[in-house]
């Protein structure tokens, strides 16, 4: 709704500003993709693919999906357009709607909006830290507090043996676990660790920790990431049971969580996905990224109510009489081309009503233009804050009117 959009604009403006400071470029990707793209990247046994994706057959019988997230589309575009030729590291972001068939509730919608950020071509720990620091800074600058939780999910060398150990552990307590976890223990055992059921979580307190099973390379990488976060003074905590829902993550995974939104506390999340580009038919380049939900940010900001309200008009043109109305109409056009936010009434309302309208639209000034004023070549300019009124002489040259008025009010 119009009175909510102001918040969105603040968030998006701030996000773009910060992303550009960190050397990111915007990319726009389509909403529709082949279903297969998401099945292959996100993974068959994830919530998104199993039960949340909007898919349909198009007129040719091809299965298409409304994108549930941004990373897969960005990588598809990166490969198809050979972006890796432009430079070995690409920093890209996209902002737009995502679609998931979830149970709608506060902070959980079927069409929601994400800012999605990706760095393709760097596996350096500093890159991970920089990306997390950027997400952190965005929250800081819009005035929100969140906890950064990080974990390492290992790589193809160390995750399989951890997975096997975890599977062993789950097997021993299978009858105490919820149905979802019983199913996941086969399809996607890591996912059991972030089960929302307290009962299951009780079982997992003694589960093996991925962090203790990292190979040397992953372990060093994780240490470097943490050290660099310390260096920048970005606060974080390590959460070994945070595994993220998507199959494609490797090594660093992170979430930004607030306690101020109840159950829907995740504001943003992301991680490294080193094998993904190659898996989709591109070059073997590593990647890391995150996504932030705009609705959740807006809800938080709304609760805080700390944002300045959007600016009103610079000027409202009050006209009286036919000749003044026409002149005013022309003047309004000229003022607008000079960058002035200006409105007037087209409905022939009384002067009193036009002034009311000026107030309602938070006009900083009102310019009163009547047929008499036109004849006398003088208009009244009213400062709507102080109530003071001054008379402005009109230049003989109509072209200079707008410029003269603009200097008066700006
Ligand atoms: P959750 O655990 O809340 O379902 P998720 O792990 O599915 O989150 P991601 O896929 O990581 O979420 O998406 C990143 C961010 O996008 C989330 O942190 C959240 O802010 C936002 N988001 C995800 N799903 C929704 C939704 N249905 N409605 C509104 N925002 C959403
Ligand atoms: Mg979800």
């Amino acid at each position: 709704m119009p009175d909510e959009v102001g918040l969105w604009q603040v968030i998006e403006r701030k996000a773009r500003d910060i992303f550009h400071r960190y050397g990111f470029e915007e990319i726009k990707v389509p909403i529709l993709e082949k279903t297969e793209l998401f099945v292959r990247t996100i993974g068959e046994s994830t919530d998104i693919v199993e039960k949340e994706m909007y898919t349909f057959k198009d007129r040719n019988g091809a299965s298409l999906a409304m994108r549930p997230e941004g990373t897969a589309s960005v990588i598809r575009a990166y490969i198809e357009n050979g972006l890796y030729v432009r430079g070995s590291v690409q920093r890209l972001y996209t902002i737009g709607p995502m679609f998931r068939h979830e149970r709608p509730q506060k902070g959980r919608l079927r069409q929601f909006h994400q800012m999605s950020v990706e760095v393709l071509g760097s596996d350096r720990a500093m890159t991970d830290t920089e990306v997390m620091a950027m997400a952190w800074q965005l929250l800081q600058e819009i005035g929100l507090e969140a906890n950064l939780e990080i974990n390492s999910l290992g790589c193809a060398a160390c995750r399989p043996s951890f997975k096997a150990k975890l599977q062993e552990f789950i097997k021993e307590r299978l009858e105490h676990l919820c149905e979802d976890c019983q199913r996941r223990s086969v399809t996607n055992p890591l996912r059991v660790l972030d089960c929302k059921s307290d009962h299951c979580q009780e079982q997992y307190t003694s589960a093996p920790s991925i962090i203790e099973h990292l190979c040397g390379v992953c372990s060093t990488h994780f240490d470097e990431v943490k050290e660099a976060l310390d260096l920048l003074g970005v606060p974080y905590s390590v959460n070994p049971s945070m595994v993220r829902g998507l199959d494609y993550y490797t090594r660093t995974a992170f979430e930004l969580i607030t306690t101020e939104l109840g159950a829907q506390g995740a504001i943003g999340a992301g991680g490294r996905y080193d094998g993904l580009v190659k898996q989709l038919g591109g070059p073997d380049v590593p990647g890391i990224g995150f996504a932030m939900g705009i609705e959740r940010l807006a809800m938080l900001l709304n609760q805080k109510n700390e944002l300045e309200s959007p600016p009103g008009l610079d000027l409202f043109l009050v006209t009286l009489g036919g000749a003044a109305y026409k002149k005013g109409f022309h003047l309004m056009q000229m003022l607008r081309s000079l960058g002035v936010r200006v409105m007037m009434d087209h409905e022939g309302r009384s002067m009193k009503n036009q002034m009311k309208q000026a107030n309602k639209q938070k006009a900083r000034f009102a310019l009163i233009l009547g047929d008499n004023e036109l004849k006398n070549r003088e208009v009244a300019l009213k400062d709507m804050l102080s109530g003071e009124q001054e008379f402005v002489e009109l230049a003989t040259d109509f072209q200079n009117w707008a410029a003269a008025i603009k200097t008066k009010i700006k």
Side-chain angles (χ1 to χ4, degrees):
M1 288 298 121
D3 56 355
E4 297 168 303
V5 167
L7 265 182
W8 284 57
Q9 288 175 342
V10 170
I11 294 168
E12 283 191 29
R13 205 178 312 127
K14 188 47 100 182
R16 285 199 164 84
D17 168 28
I18 290 177
F19 297 164
H20 296 158
R21 263 187 260 163
Y22 282 76
F24 284 79
E25 295 175 289
E26 184 165 5
I27 178 172
K28 288 188 187 282
V29 283
I31 284 168
L32 295 179
E33 295 277 357
K34 289 187 181 140
T35 305
E36 183 202 54
L37 174 70
F38 300 112
V39 176
R40 276 171 64 194
T41 56
I42 297 170
E44 296 207 45
S45 55
T46 56
D47 285 352
I48 294 182
V49 170
E50 270 182 352
K51 47 190 187 203
E52 295 174 0
M53 210 154 45
Y54 282 94
T55 56
F56 64 95
K57 287 252 182 343
D58 75 0
R59 287 165 191 271
N60 302 328
S63 178
L64 300 184
M66 318 258 293
R67 61 181 188 195
E69 54 107 48
T71 303
S73 310
V74 170
I75 293 179
R76 197 234 353 106
Y78 167 90
I79 296 170
E80 251 175 53
N81 296 282
L83 285 190
Y84 39 89
V85 181
R86 295 203 309 171
S88 59
V89 180
Q90 295 292 310
R91 297 178 162 225
L92 305 166
Y93 74 89
T94 191
I95 301 180
M98 305 294 161
F99 305 84
R100 296 184 194 175
H101 191 273
E102 303 201 66
R103 198 164 64 79
Q105 51 194 295
K106 193 170 172 242
R108 192 170 289 285
L109 302 124
R110 289 181 170 175
Q111 172 171 345
F112 61 101
H113 296 73
Q114 278 184 344
M115 307 183 274
S116 178
V117 171
E118 324 291 339
V119 180
L120 298 167
S122 171
D123 63 1
R124 313 298 293 224
M126 287 307 197
T127 303
D128 302 37
T129 299
E130 201 184 355
V131 162
M132 289 187 273
M134 181 171 80
W136 175 252
Q137 183 158 6
L138 174 55
L139 296 179
Q140 291 268 295
E141 288 194 19
I142 53 181
L144 294 178
E145 257 171 57
N147 298 320
L148 172 63
E149 292 192 357
I150 66 172
N151 193 18
S152 176
L153 303 180
C155 64
C158 51
R159 192 151 57 182
S161 67
F162 169 73
K163 214 165 162 174
K165 254 207 191 107
L166 183 64
Q167 240 158 348
E168 199 57 40
F169 173 89
I170 300 167
K171 220 159 135 200
E172 287 162 14
R173 347 185 124 56
L174 206 55
E175 74 263 36
H176 302 296
L177 304 178
C178 72
E179 255 175 53
D180 274 346
C181 281
Q182 292 184 356
R183 190 168 39 86
R184 285 183 195 132
S185 70
V186 187
T187 57
N188 197 346
L190 254 61
R191 281 300 314 279
V192 304
L193 294 177
D194 69 4
C195 176
K196 303 242 154 55
S197 138
D198 289 340
H199 187 72
C200 290
Q201 279 306 329
E202 249 166 60
Q203 298 290 321
Y204 301 140
T205 46
S206 55
S209 156
I210 176 114
I211 299 215
E212 282 156 23
H213 292 81
L214 296 177
C215 62
V217 195
C218 286
S219 181
T220 308
H221 192 271
F222 194 49
D223 286 342
E224 284 171 4
V225 168
K226 289 185 289 184
E227 214 173 280
L229 283 170
D230 290 333
L231 176 71
L232 300 186
V234 175
Y236 63 89
S237 55
V238 175
N239 176 359
S241 64
M242 189 251 297
V243 290
R244 304 290 307 132
L246 285 55
D247 272 1
Y248 56 56
Y249 286 118
T250 54
R251 291 193 181 156
T252 311
F254 63 99
E255 269 183 8
L256 288 150
I257 298 163
T258 165
T259 48
E260 293 170 54
L261 285 180
Q264 263 51 266
I267 312 177
R272 183 162 273 296
Y273 45 79
D274 287 347
L276 190 59
V277 181
K278 183 164 182 236
Q279 186 201 316
L280 285 176
D284 191 5
V285 300
I288 180 166
F290 70 85
M292 255 193 216
I294 299 184
E295 282 82 359
R296 291 192 194 170
L297 290 177
M299 267 167 65
L300 275 170
L301 280 173
N302 212 11
Q303 283 178 11
K304 297 212 152 191
N305 223 351
E306 266 172 13
L307 282 174
E308 40 187 301
S309 48
L313 294 174
D314 297 317
L315 181 71
F316 195 91
L317 270 176
V318 177
T319 68
L320 295 158
Y325 173 61
K326 267 197 193 144
K327 267 278 192 255
F329 187 60
H330 190 183
L331 184 63
M332 178 167 73
Q333 182 74 2
M334 293 171 110
L335 283 166
R336 283 174 175 165
S337 32
L338 291 177
V340 178
R341 277 185 302 239
V342 49
M343 282 281 284
M344 71 188 296
D345 168 64
H346 288 315
E347 319 306 324
R349 293 195 173 95
S350 70
M351 164 132 174
K352 196 174 151 209
N353 262 327
Q354 289 186 51
M355 288 306 282
K356 257 194 202 158
Q357 223 177 316
N359 267 324
K360 212 166 148 191
Q361 297 196 245
K362 290 188 257 165
R364 185 67 186 73
F365 290 91
L367 187 79
I368 298 143
L369 184 63
D371 288 352
N372 276 339
E373 280 88 349
L374 261 188
K375 244 185 250 149
N376 304 335
R377 312 208 61 78
E378 215 178 44
V379 291
L381 185 67
K382 184 172 180 183
D383 185 322
M384 301 293 278
L385 283 184
S386 66
E388 275 167 35
Q389 190 159 304
E390 70 170 305
F391 286 93
V392 185
E393 215 177 299
L394 298 180
T396 27
D397 176 7
F398 181 66
Q399 303 294 324
N400 289 330
W401 272 31
I405 291 166
K406 184 183 170 181
T407 0
K408 281 274 177 208
I409 63 172
K410 284 260 172 169

